[in-house]
Amino acid sequence: MSAFSVLVEVTLRPGIADPQGATIERALPALGFAGVRGVTVGKAIRLTIDADSADAARAQADELCRRFLTNPVIEDAVITVG
Amino acid sequence: MVLFPGSNCEHDVIESVSLLGGQADVVWHGDTDLSAYDAVVVPGGFAHGDYLRPGAIARFSPVMSAVAAFAAGGGPVVGICNGFQVLTEAGLLPGALQKNAGLKFLCTTVECEVVSTRSVLTAGASVGQVLRLPINHFEGNFTCSPSTLAELEAEERVVLRYRDNPNGSTASIAGVCSAAGNVVGLMPHPERACNALLGSADGQVLLRSVLSAARTPRVPA
């Protein structure tokens, strides 16, 4: 069994309003940052999973996202196993 | 009245239920026996600190299995504000509550229109009736897929709508119910609108409906 570092990035699903991202994007020109677009806000969750393989760690992270870390009605997750 | 660590509207619910002739007790979130009760209210507040997402951790509290069983047996279950968020996370109601469109915590009184009377919360009201109710939330922006919305509308499961949408909710939805109508969630606080001295008594008609449903024999959902 090995320890796998797992990064879960939680983002709002396409089409779901992202008021935080929109507010940040609107604030940028006033701070002197021109030409920055497509700002979205999500969450990064880091975990260490003890598993027999990277695939097994990923499968467990998938299940964790589905049942707990994301709300599938509004959120998606991207899982990176390090 | 289910109490999670971080709930903070339980006394308002107990007070208003007593005022209307009912009797309310607090059930701790670690308890699993609801057999002594005729209705369940999941109150407002910040269950488990709202960590991760409002309701995300509360749905795993032991009492929630009992609430799900109570709902499946046709018992009236009402989630107010954070309680609505908990019921959506628990899968007892459709959709999700995300951050308000204006990114402001809203604490004000709004007008809501009764859209459907086929829920335990609105059975005693009339369609078109306008109620002045307080809102007090940051994550009250009701969101669901277009297919869920179509289903809710077709089955008359949208029970309350804001007249002037304060938070960006899909179709101005302030409250929805389950297919059987016995599980209801709403963002406004009827328990804080039960006395004209507090600015409005319009919440009484809603809580009276729940008390009336509590006295009626249950039909499994």
Side-chain angles (χ1 to χ4, degrees):
Chain A
M1 187 154 292
S2 319
F4 294 91
S5 295
V6 176
L7 172 64
V8 176
E9 290 168 273
V10 181
T11 55
L12 288 169
R13 294 181 65 175
I16 300 290
D18 179 3
Q20 290 187 104
T23 304
I24 291 170
E25 189 165 323
R26 275 201 308 275
L28 290 172
L31 298 171
F33 296 97
V36 182
R37 322 181 258 119
V39 180
T40 59
V41 174
K43 290 175 210 164
I45 302 170
R46 291 178 199 282
L47 316 159
T48 302
I49 298 181
D50 293 326
D52 290 330
S53 66
D55 283 348
R58 176 178 293 279
Q60 206 173 333
D62 263 332
E63 173 74 0
L64 193 55
C65 282
R66 200 176 54 74
R67 289 189 49 204
F68 182 41
L69 294 181
T70 68
N71 180 335
V73 177
I74 52 173
E75 294 170 331
D76 282 332
V78 176
I79 297 167
T80 309
V81 179
Chain B
M1 240 273 330
V2 175
L3 184 68
F4 298 97
S7 299
N8 63 14
C9 297
E10 69 276 12
H11 291 293
D12 307 63
V13 174
I14 290 170
E15 173 67 24
S16 54
V17 166
S18 311
L19 180 79
L20 298 175
Q23 191 192 339
D25 291 332
V26 168
V27 176
W28 183 238
H29 78 114
D31 293 343
T32 52
D33 183 8
L34 294 170
S35 58
Y37 300 102
D38 299 317
V40 172
V41 175
V42 186
F46 301 86
H48 297 276
D50 274 0
Y51 294 146
L52 190 60
R53 296 180 306 278
I57 295 173
R59 65 171 281 221
F60 293 108
S61 276
V63 76
M64 288 309 296
S65 308
V67 172
F70 188 86
V77 176
V78 178
I80 302 170
C81 196
N82 190 226
F84 185 11
Q85 297 162 340
V86 172
L87 295 180
T88 59
E89 284 282 343
L92 293 175
L93 287 173
L97 284 311
Q98 65 162 157
K99 285 186 176 57
N100 295 339
L103 274 188
K104 285 198 171 69
F105 188 100
L106 295 170
C107 182
T108 184
T109 297
V110 296
E111 290 191 336
C112 296
E113 187 174 331
V114 176
V115 187
S116 162
T117 55
R118 58 163 303 239
S119 80
V120 293
L121 184 77
T122 50
S126 326
V127 170
Q129 190 173 355
V130 174
L131 307 173
R132 290 184 65 247
L133 301 170
I135 56 168
N136 192 225
H137 60 245
F138 187 42
E139 274 114 346
N141 180 348
F142 183 84
T143 304
C144 63
S145 67
S147 59
T148 302
L149 178 63
E151 189 182 317
L152 290 174
E153 301 270 19
E155 296 176 1
E156 299 182 346
R157 289 167 56 191
V158 176
V159 297
L160 281 178
R161 255 193 243 282
Y162 302 108
R163 292 190 97 190
D164 187 10
N165 192 349
N167 55 22
S169 287
T170 300
S172 296
I173 288 172
V176 296
C177 70
S178 61
N182 64 311
V183 183
V184 197
L186 76 168
M187 288 313 294
H189 286 270
E191 80 282 14
R192 292 190 200 161
C194 282
N195 190 323
L197 270 179
L198 297 177
S200 170
D202 290 357
Q204 285 195 6
V205 66
L206 301 179
L207 295 183
R208 275 212 178 90
S209 299
V210 178
L211 289 175
S212 161
R215 294 183 189 111
T216 309
R218 290 176 210 159
V219 181

